[in-house]
Amino acid sequence: MAQLFFRYGAMNSGKTIEILKVAHNYEEQSKSVIIMTSGLDNRDGVGYVASRIGLKRPAIPVFDETNVLEVVKQTNPDAACVLIDEAQFLKKHHIIELAHIVDELHIPVMTFGLKNDFRNELFEGSKYLLLYADKIEEMKTICWFCRKKAIMNLRFHDGQPVYEGEQVQIGGNEAYYPVCRRHYFFPPEINKVRN
């Protein structure tokens, strides 16, 4: 039975590498997958999923106006699975469309993304995935500064933590750290840690 999955984790928890692994496993068995990612993430070019360990694949970019149900119907309505990276950037209508892919087309949908932003507030896509997903699973990683589990994302600029500003700023290790609650509120001097 097809289900809607949401796998979330802090930065550096291996979400994208997991998508690439799942896609490989399906394709090794000659089963087709559709890979999608937010059109906002342009770090490796729009329409690509790329992991920090260097693996990269093309993906269908999802923009605010994209109807993902129609994209799946037009691309491959017999796909074995739909995989979505950067799901936190999706809109409410996208999440409902993903539920329709599961319920109407009977295709499992696996989404991967951040749960909370650097202000420790939910992203829109994450909020509605937490409400609509059949299965929710945390992908774990450790705090950049200690050995505790990272549950938050710390944005920084010029070596200083940032707690206010626009929710979306695309970036990786140059702008964000996965951190535990303690180091979210009391980070060590970042310039000393980075050098």
Side-chain angles (χ1 to χ4, degrees):
M1 180 161 93
Q3 292 185 314
L4 176 58
F5 297 84
F6 180 36
R7 298 191 72 192
Y8 71 88
M11 301 286 289
N12 291 26
S13 60
K15 297 177 296 294
T16 301
I17 194 66
E18 184 68 17
I19 282 180
L20 297 172
K21 182 182 88 172
V22 170
H24 172 77
N25 289 343
Y26 271 97
E27 292 168 342
E28 193 171 43
Q29 298 175 21
S30 299
K31 296 174 182 161
S32 63
V33 297
I34 296 173
I35 301 177
M36 301 173 131
T37 190
S38 169
L40 292 178
D41 189 353
N42 59 6
R43 287 174 288 177
D44 288 283
V46 174
Y48 287 94
V49 293
S51 72
R52 286 184 175 81
I53 64 170
L55 299 175
K56 181 177 176 177
R57 278 191 65 164
I60 298 169
V62 176
F63 300 99
D64 287 356
E65 65 277 5
T66 304
N67 181 318
V68 292
L69 174 61
E70 291 305 315
V71 169
V72 169
K73 285 180 178 178
Q74 293 169 12
T75 304
N76 184 357
D78 297 316
C81 186
V82 175
L83 301 166
I84 303 194
D85 199 14
E86 304 294 349
Q88 72 272 8
F89 296 139
L90 299 179
K91 300 297 182 190
K92 178 181 180 180
H93 75 90
H94 294 129
I95 306 309
I96 293 170
E97 292 157 10
L98 295 176
H100 290 316
I101 291 168
V102 171
D103 298 336
E104 295 173 27
L105 302 180
H106 309 289
I107 300 172
V109 175
M110 298 180 73
T111 65
F112 298 78
L114 301 171
K115 180 181 68 171
N116 40 309
D117 66 16
F118 75 102
R119 300 171 302 185
N120 210 27
E121 295 179 10
L122 293 175
F123 286 96
E124 181 176 347
S126 305
K127 173 184 174 181
Y128 288 101
L129 281 164
L130 289 168
L131 291 171
Y132 286 98
D134 298 298
K135 295 211 177 196
I136 300 167
E137 180 181 340
E138 181 183 21
M139 296 181 70
K140 297 174 179 74
T141 191
I142 57 171
C143 176
W144 195 272
F145 303 113
C146 71
R147 296 178 182 171
K148 290 183 179 177
K149 182 175 83 166
I151 58 171
M152 299 177 186
N153 304 294
L154 178 65
R155 182 188 289 177
F156 59 93
H157 179 73
D158 291 333
Q160 298 300 311
V162 177
Y163 299 99
E164 296 179 0
E166 290 294 318
Q167 183 177 52
V168 176
Q169 175 186 311
I170 304 300
N173 290 343
E174 79 289 347
Y176 294 95
Y177 283 129
V179 293
C180 65
R181 182 178 52 245
R182 177 175 171 261
H183 285 116
Y184 177 80
F185 291 111
F186 306 106
E189 279 191 56
I190 293 171
N191 285 333
K192 288 183 180 179
V193 174
R194 289 192 75 79
N195 296 328

